[in-house]
Amino acid sequence: MMPTKVTIPVPSKDPKKKDEEKPEQDAKDSTAKKIKDEEKEGEDLSEEDLQLKNELEMLIERLREPNTELYRPALETLRTLIRTSTSSMTSVPKPLKFLHPHYPALQALYETWPPSEDKSLFADILSVLAMTYSDTQPRGTLRYRLLSASLRPANAPLSEPGSWGHEYVRHLAAELGEEYNSREFDEEGVEKVSEENKVPGTVDDLRSLAIECATFLLQHNAEPDAVDLLEELEIVDRIVDIVDENTYERVCQYMIRCVNLLPPPDDISFLRTTHKIYAKHNKFPQALSLSIRLGDADLIRQDFNAPANPAMKKQLAFLLARAQVPKEWLETPGEDGMDDGESELPEDLVECLSNTRLSSQFKEFGKELNVLEPKSLEDVYKSHLENTRPTTTVDSAKANLAGTFVNAFVNAGFGNDKLMAKAEEGNSWVYKNKDHGMLSAAASLGLSLLWDTDEGLSQVDKYTYSSEEYIKAGALLATGILNSGVRTEADAALALLGEYVENKSVPLKTSAITGLGLAYAGSQREDVMQLLLPYVADDSLSMEIASLTSLALGFIFVGSGNGEIASTILQTLMEREDKQLDEKWARYMVLGLGLLYLGLQDASDATIATLKAIEHQVSQLAVVVVDMCSFAGTGNVLKVQELLHYCDEHIDKTPKEKKDDKDTTPEEPPKDDTFQAFAVIGIALVAMGEDIGAEMSLRQFNHLMHYGEPVVRKAVPLALGLVSASNPQLPIMDTLSKYSHDSDLQVALNAIFAMGLLGAGTNNARLAQMLRQLAGYYYKEPDCLFMVRIAQGLVHMGKGTLTINPFWNDRTIMSKTAVAGLLATLTAFTDAKSFILEKYHWMLYFLVPSMYPRFLITMDEDLNNISVSVRVGQAVDVVGQAGKPRTISGFQTHSTPVRLGTTERAELATEEYIPYAHVLEGFVIVRKNPGWESEDKMDI
């Protein structure tokens, strides 16, 4: 044996001898010792192993002889020996172990051979041996593999990498990623050739090898590895061609879970690739739900028109209705803009798309759950359980106002509450309020009759003739509220509210504008835009009107990136006087701009650049708001960091000392710090899309609460409420409970409201208990008591059947209208004193677009409700797990319709029916399974 390298002896030494040995031992000694060791090891080997070892050594000797005829058989025997050696999973295969010391010698020998097919085979074998040297000679496996491939004639390609076994493929995959990342590209994407580039082959060679490896991995249940490998070589879109009907489901699930953790633009490319796979395999609901996530009108239209089965189309229509996708997207644009209604959708599809069944189905659902009876205020407050001193009840305006909201939220959608909808003539609750309280009271009728367009309009109608301006304004708002999320042929909201938009009276005007925003949220209606845009641009109008109009447009065109509206709002922000931009309303104008870019990621870059150019300090606020909206729900870590940086600025708000020095200009206004409050909410907005990020954000909020400025502390409870809306998690509950006793009343107030958001529509007993204690604690603070009442109303919202959580479809799709509603409500709380607690308490109705029933209703193909038994349990994440694990844990079996909690999931209990939808949630159409037989028949 030739001593070629000195680095070998280290690993096989016994640590005990190390102490005795002199460090300056020279190489000869160590080699001699190694041979001695090997002889000693030879004694321990079993006969088979010894025989194998001698055989391998003989084969290596053959390769050194001058007779070239012997090379081929020797190499082939070596290959067979390596391939057939099966040992346990944990130890190195025997041939590799015995050949390990000869590797350097073989490498030197390889270099001396002339190119030939034999040399290619030799390289292939070296490539396998290189696995044992991966720590000292990185990427050897890949290098010899590519050398071997380059020596083959074109008609006889190399055998698949999989023929060397799983471990070899994993090794190659790891080295492919490293190699690809170490290659350098210039701007055009052309590869730079560097001298020390040891691995031959171009990037295309690397990629084709990666496809081979990925194909092998997919066949052997290692879908995540295949996806990761292709992602590392930036060719993830080519996975569409190598998945088959056995593997595509697991690949897609894994890729969808990756989306939240990828930086843009990879996340979009993953969604598009997954969409291609689903479309190729005719999985229409899955494909459509991804098109909705991408917000791509053309894809949505293709997916909607793909299936021929009418029942499947209805199911897709239900999905689109839940996502509030504009109907106009589905119509194929005819030639020269003319469509003579030939592509008219059939009536039943239009009905599904426009959500008109929602109200009747929701009441039906309430009946099944036994909650149809209206609840009185006392049922919610349970004041006999509060431990306060019995005081004589005063019919105070503030308490009545709180009662208005509680009654509206609790009985939302059922249309039978005692105070408003079913009140005796002349005894309506409206008259128990005064001035602006009447506006909210009249508007609460809309919430009670939510989604019920026919009954609702006739009920609200009588208030539109009232002589009292505020009642009339409330009726307009009610009209907008009850049309929220439901599209009707009649277009009643536009007809009724359109005429009031020009009205001189401010309450009527703002109510009509806000009503339109709520009624058409997400519909992207051009005609409404033409009606409202002038009010944003008109400088003579007050900031209040311009800002609320901008917000309404933000609602209607949420996430559309509409350039016309954006430029109008930007124009207004530039042209308005500083004094007007200092007003509290500016934040709503900015929010309207932000909502246009909701979830569009980089699409808002140009707008942000323009905003930075505005001299007034509102630009800082605008940049934060537009930025946080663009990345809403993406879980983008870099954005969260950026927003955290905004929070740590310490802004000095006391410019008074300067008055003493006559030299400095006394006009220097105090720097506005509202943007910090929005940055805090922004952290929650970005992080809420993904569980791990949301959990990590809680810790940041804790720090902000300890060290932040007052404006930051005020916003932390709101952020907590947003990050876990309608999902009462214990740690957050306890944190908010602590903040609700904060010495700063503003913080306490927001914490109380956040408790309402946290438990909205869950009937959570623990929260209800906490709120009752707070009602006792704050019985002398009218503002806080008012907020406690509102929170109680939210917790019992819809008697526990509604949710305001913006994520649906197994919490994969973020509803943009819902996020818009939540953000608009939280914006009012960034300065609760001048909005909610003053005369703009009607802003609580901004929550309406985010309210949605959380039910599962099963229907047959003709849309008649049928009862099916389902299991409901906590959703478990099973992506990437082996086999077919349970997707829910701790389930109970119910028959539909059932209520699903925020983190719950349902699956059919028997195989009697086959659902059309892939996620059982909302309206699901099922059909009888033709192969299913009931048990009693089986006995015969």
Side-chain angles (χ1 to χ4, degrees):
M1 274 176 51
M2 309 155 29
T4 47
K5 276 218 169 179
V6 194
T7 46
I8 299 170
V10 188
S12 62
K13 264 189 214 164
D14 235 316
K16 282 184 193 133
K17 293 181 185 159
K18 262 186 198 161
D19 314 335
E20 303 144 25
E21 272 170 19
K22 297 173 188 62
E24 64 272 8
Q25 229 178 5
D26 50 15
K28 270 188 196 154
D29 273 9
S30 69
T31 322
K33 178 171 180 312
K34 182 147 185 35
I35 291 167
K36 236 188 231 151
D37 268 5
E38 280 188 1
E39 280 165 10
K40 205 170 91 194
E41 199 180 82
E43 291 156 26
D44 302 347
L45 294 177
S46 65
E47 273 182 28
E48 292 169 32
D49 291 357
L50 205 57
Q51 188 188 343
L52 175 68
K53 185 168 183 221
N54 296 336
E55 192 177 349
L56 290 169
E57 282 173 0
M58 181 195 74
L59 289 170
I60 291 171
E61 284 306 315
R62 283 239 186 108
L63 295 180
R64 295 211 179 99
E65 289 168 15
N67 180 359
T68 51
E69 312 256 307
L70 293 172
Y71 291 170
R72 189 66 190 244
L75 288 168
E76 296 203 333
T77 321
L78 260 180
R79 177 169 73 182
T80 329
L81 280 173
I82 295 176
R83 279 193 186 167
T84 50
S85 76
T86 49
S87 61
S88 71
M89 287 291 285
T90 48
S91 59
V92 181
K94 289 275 166 26
L96 292 188
K97 185 172 164 190
F98 297 141
L99 288 170
H100 180 85
H102 303 294
Y103 178 67
L106 290 173
Q107 274 181 304
L109 182 62
Y110 168 80
E111 298 302 335
T112 60
W113 282 20
S116 64
E117 278 204 41
D118 292 352
K119 185 168 182 177
S120 162
L121 183 56
F122 194 5
D124 204 9
I125 290 171
L126 279 177
S127 158
V128 181
L129 291 183
M131 292 202 296
T132 56
Y133 265 83
S134 56
D135 40 2
T136 51
Q137 300 181 10
R139 300 207 279 287
T141 307
L142 179 61
R143 178 167 165 245
Y144 282 115
R145 169 87 200 176
L146 289 166
L147 281 170
S148 167
S150 61
L151 292 166
R152 301 289 293 193
N155 56 5
L158 206 52
S159 64
E160 308 209 320
S163 57
W164 288 108
H166 210 283
E167 193 51 44
Y168 177 71
V169 176
R170 303 227 338 234
H171 231 87
L172 260 187
E175 295 187 356
L176 274 169
E178 287 171 27
E179 175 60 33
Y180 183 79
N181 290 335
S182 68
R183 301 258 172 132
E184 293 177 350
F185 300 99
D186 52 21
E187 281 76 49
E188 284 87 61
V190 182
E191 190 180 344
K192 292 181 184 167
V193 184
S194 52
E195 288 311 303
E196 69 274 9
N197 200 348
K198 287 200 295 203
V199 178
T202 61
V203 167
D204 292 338
D205 296 345
L206 294 181
R207 285 182 169 160
S208 52
L209 181 56
I211 293 279
E212 281 183 52
C213 289
T215 315
F216 174 83
L217 290 167
L218 283 175
Q219 287 157 356
H220 293 79
N221 298 338
E223 293 89 354
D225 300 354
V227 175
D228 293 347
L229 172 61
L230 296 184
E231 154 68 0
E232 218 165 350
L233 282 100
E234 297 175 0
I235 46 171
V236 83
D237 47 342
R238 291 179 41 193
I239 200 166
V240 180
D241 308 320
I242 57 176
V243 292
D244 56 18
E245 65 273 9
N246 300 322
T247 51
Y248 78 92
E249 188 58 54
R250 291 174 64 96
V251 169
C252 291
Q253 284 180 338
Y254 177 71
M255 287 176 69
I256 290 172
R257 290 295 292 193
C258 288
V259 171
N260 283 329
L261 309 171
L262 288 168
D266 290 352
D267 49 359
I268 303 295
S269 70
F270 258 50
L271 282 175
R272 288 196 180 280
T273 307
T274 319
H275 177 270
K276 270 190 209 140
I277 298 176
Y278 275 140
K280 184 174 159 188
H281 290 277
N282 290 344
K283 288 287 179 218
F284 304 117
Q286 285 96 321
L288 183 68
S289 62
L290 291 173
S291 319
I292 292 172
R293 270 183 85 164
L294 287 161
D296 183 325
D298 300 334
L299 277 183
I300 289 178
R301 191 171 60 243
Q302 281 167 26
D303 289 339
F304 182 65
N305 295 325
N309 179 347
M312 179 52 103
K313 275 202 117 124
K314 287 178 200 165
Q315 182 64 66
L316 296 184
F318 280 134
L319 272 177
L320 291 173
R322 171 70 177 98
Q324 303 277 324
V325 169
K327 277 216 294 270
E328 294 70 33
W329 286 9
L330 302 175
E331 290 156 12
T332 32
E335 275 69 58
D336 53 54
M338 291 289 290
D339 48 353
D340 304 329
E342 56 203 322
S343 64
E344 254 318 281
L345 296 166
E347 186 117 332
D348 50 354
L349 267 187
V350 173
E351 193 181 295
C352 300
L353 275 171
S354 38
N355 239 346
T356 35
R357 310 173 64 92
L358 190 57
S359 175
S360 56
Q361 289 284 8
F362 179 62
K363 287 177 183 163
E364 192 61 32
F365 172 61
K367 198 154 134 198
E368 285 282 332
L369 293 190
N370 255 336
V371 291
L372 210 49
E373 286 303 300
K375 270 193 163 183
S376 66
L377 298 181
E378 185 46 41
D379 294 342
V380 178
Y381 297 159
K382 300 204 167 74
S383 38
H384 60 278
L385 296 174
E386 292 170 14
N387 43 9
T388 46
R389 295 151 205 73
T391 47
T392 47
T393 46
V394 188
D395 238 10
S396 73
K398 197 115 205 173
N400 282 356
L401 185 60
T404 304
F405 288 107
V406 173
N407 175 53
F409 282 127
V410 171
N411 295 307
F414 290 107
N416 59 0
D417 68 294
K418 294 272 190 352
L419 302 187
M420 292 291 307
K422 296 277 182 277
E424 291 93 53
E425 200 52 48
N427 203 5
S428 164
W429 186 256
V430 176
Y431 304 110
K432 295 241 178 106
N433 291 283
K434 55 175 201 281
D435 300 347
H436 45 80
M438 288 178 159
L439 192 155
S440 287
S444 75
L445 187 56
L447 195 50
S448 174
L449 297 161
L450 198 55
W451 310 308
D452 187 350
T453 42
D454 313 335
E455 165 79 357
L457 291 172
S458 59
Q459 284 248 21
V460 172
D461 189 52
K462 57 177 187 261
Y463 290 108
T464 49
Y465 303 116
S466 170
S467 52
E468 196 47 78
E469 190 178 45
Y470 282 115
I471 295 182
K472 206 166 175 179
L476 297 181
L477 193 53
T479 310
I481 289 173
L482 65 88
N483 277 293
S484 173
V486 181
R487 316 260 173 267
T488 51
E489 291 295 306
D491 241 354
L494 187 55
L496 293 170
L497 300 177
E499 55 187 283
Y500 284 101
V501 173
E502 292 125 42
N503 202 299
K504 291 279 175 289
S505 139
V506 174
L508 291 179
K509 201 185 190 90
T510 52
S511 296
I513 290 171
T514 312
L516 283 172
L518 293 173
Y520 293 105
S523 67
Q524 305 191 15
R525 291 273 297 265
E526 291 289 328
D527 47 352
V528 187
M529 175 173 91
Q530 302 311 335
L531 177 70
L532 295 180
L533 253 190
Y535 294 96
V536 181
D538 188 348
D539 279 359
S540 60
L541 293 171
S542 70
M543 265 308 266
E544 177 179 353
I545 292 168
S547 302
L548 285 172
T549 312
S550 143
L551 178 68
L553 286 167
F555 268 0
I556 299 168
F557 286 85
V558 62
S560 66
N562 185 305
E564 199 178 335
I565 302 177
S567 54
T568 310
I569 298 179
L570 281 169
Q571 195 71 25
T572 309
L573 285 171
M574 288 175 179
E575 290 170 0
R576 289 260 173 180
E577 293 165 23
D578 286 1
K579 191 162 102 273
Q580 289 178 315
L581 290 178
D582 285 337
E583 283 184 38
K584 61 183 179 186
W585 288 104
R587 65 194 72 191
Y588 272 112
M589 183 171 282
V590 168
L591 181 63
L593 180 60
L595 291 178
L596 294 175
Y597 294 105
L598 193 69
L600 293 186
Q601 303 205 4
D602 303 333
S604 60
D605 288 355
T607 307
I608 290 180
T610 320
L611 285 170
K612 286 182 175 155
I614 297 177
E615 275 103 57
H616 188 266
Q617 51 193 14
V618 77
S619 76
Q620 171 89 70
L621 170 65
V623 168
V624 173
V625 170
V626 175
D627 208 14
M628 76 187 204
C629 287
S630 313
F631 288 87
T634 55
N636 186 316
V637 194
L638 299 172
K639 272 291 163 270
V640 174
Q641 282 178 344
E642 216 173 290
L643 291 163
L644 272 170
H645 278 303
Y646 288 125
C647 301
D648 64 10
E649 284 180 48
H650 287 288
I651 294 166
D652 189 22
K653 292 196 75 172
T654 50
K656 289 165 193 128
E657 291 84 65
K658 295 191 174 165
K659 300 274 162 61
D660 309 340
D661 324 336
K662 289 285 177 281
D663 329 331
T664 53
T665 46
E667 279 94 79
E668 174 65 25
K671 190 163 186 306
D672 182 31
D673 55 7
T674 323
F675 73 90
Q676 290 188 311
F678 280 94
V680 179
I681 295 173
I683 295 171
L685 183 64
V686 175
M688 70 180 176
E690 171 257 335
D691 294 343
I692 300 166
E695 210 168 302
M696 284 159 62
S697 68
L698 300 181
R699 187 147 168 243
Q700 304 301 341
F701 293 141
N702 207 353
H703 293 325
L704 289 173
M705 202 62 182
H706 281 173
Y707 309 115
E709 300 281 299
V711 65
V712 171
R713 295 193 57 210
K714 248 182 0 198
V716 169
L718 298 176
L720 287 169
L722 175 62
V723 95
S724 176
S726 279
N727 182 13
Q729 303 171 30
L730 273 177
I732 306 187
M733 248 195 266
D734 292 342
T735 312
L736 285 174
S737 173
K738 191 171 77 197
Y739 296 160
S740 63
H741 296 79
D742 199 273
S743 53
D744 179 350
L745 275 187
Q746 288 284 295
V747 176
L749 200 85
N750 286 353
I752 297 169
F753 178 67
M755 286 163 88
L757 287 182
L758 184 71
T762 59
N763 277 349
N764 187 295
R766 186 176 176 138
L767 266 173
Q769 170 67 19
M770 285 178 183
L771 289 168
R772 278 198 298 274
Q773 287 171 342
L774 282 170
Y777 181 76
Y778 282 123
Y779 76 107
K780 282 193 175 136
E781 285 285 345
D783 285 350
C784 290
L785 188 58
F786 173 71
M787 222 54 252
V788 172
R789 296 302 184 210
I790 301 276
Q792 284 177 314
L794 288 175
V795 169
H796 297 285
M797 180 195 281
K799 294 173 235 180
T801 54
L802 296 173
T803 178
I804 56 168
N805 193 301
F807 291 91
W808 57 283
N809 196 27
D810 237 352
R811 294 197 297 157
T812 52
I813 306 179
M814 178 179 82
S815 155
K816 291 184 171 174
T817 43
V819 175
L822 286 167
L823 279 179
T825 318
L826 292 180
T827 303
F829 277 90
T830 49
D831 187 355
K833 260 204 167 58
S834 45
F835 286 120
I836 300 286
L837 300 176
E838 213 201 329
K839 53 179 193 227
Y840 301 105
H841 32 74
W842 53 264
M843 289 189 167
L844 287 166
Y845 294 129
F846 281 148
L847 277 176
V848 169
S850 47
M851 289 162 59
Y852 203 84
R854 28 164 123 199
F855 50 40
L856 160 61
I857 290 182
T858 43
M859 313 171 152
D860 60 17
E861 295 174 338
D862 304 324
L863 303 188
N864 303 317
N865 291 8
I866 48 178
S867 186
V868 179
S869 60
V870 289
R871 303 195 185 106
V872 180
Q874 287 297 317
V876 184
D877 178 23
V878 293
V879 175
Q881 288 187 19
K884 290 194 171 169
R886 274 273 129 106
T887 50
I888 55 177
S889 75
F891 58 81
Q892 295 174 318
T893 310
H894 299 283
S895 53
T896 58
V898 295
R899 172 188 176 281
L900 296 177
T902 307
T903 53
E904 290 180 334
R905 186 184 284 163
E907 52 183 47
L908 293 182
T910 59
E911 293 182 2
E912 184 178 355
Y913 291 95
I914 302 173
Y916 279 98
H918 63 301
V919 174
L920 297 187
E921 181 175 308
F923 298 115
V924 175
I925 301 176
V926 294
R927 64 177 158 114
K928 262 281 200 222
N929 182 348
W932 197 78
E933 292 181 351
S934 63
E935 266 132 53
D936 40 358
K937 282 192 198 148
M938 306 285 278
D939 305 340
I940 298 169

